């Protein structure tokens, strides 16, 4: 069985958020990790800005987080 626990899912999500934070930083974006997790309006704004990045890695990370955070 390949099910993940809530704790494991949260850890995977946090790893993706940290990855996104550093990728976005290379584009000059500052990302507040805790706020990204708790403030849907802030998260949407960050992810929308990242979606316009010229770097595919930033856009991909933003799309992945959008799905994980349920902001699709």
């Amino acid at each position: 069985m390949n099910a993940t626990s809530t704790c494991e899912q949260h850890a995977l999500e946090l790893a993706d958020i940290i990855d996104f934070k550093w990728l976005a930083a290379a584009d000059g974006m500052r990302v507040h990790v805790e706020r990204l997790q708790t403030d849907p309006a802030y998260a949407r704004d960050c992810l929308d800005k990242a979606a316009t990045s010229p770097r595919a890695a930033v856009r991909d990370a933003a799309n992945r987080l959008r799905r994980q955070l349920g902001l699709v």
Side-chain angles (χ1 to χ4, degrees):
M1 182 154 97
N2 289 334
T4 58
S5 69
T6 303
C7 184
E8 289 171 327
Q9 182 60 36
H10 180 71
L12 291 172
E13 183 178 287
L14 184 57
D16 285 335
I17 290 170
I18 298 300
D19 184 47
F20 171 70
K21 173 187 172 126
W22 291 113
L23 288 168
D27 275 0
M29 263 182 74
R30 297 187 70 176
V31 176
H32 188 279
V33 172
E34 184 178 348
R35 192 167 173 205
L36 188 74
Q37 294 175 291
T38 59
D39 183 344
Y42 174 79
R44 276 188 196 88
D45 185 53
C46 283
L47 298 173
D48 288 347
K49 287 177 183 172
T52 66
S53 172
R55 299 176 49 225
V58 176
R59 295 190 309 269
D60 292 345
N63 287 331
R64 186 170 51 252
L65 272 182
R66 191 178 301 276
R67 287 189 305 276
Q68 289 178 352
L69 296 174
L71 300 173
V72 180

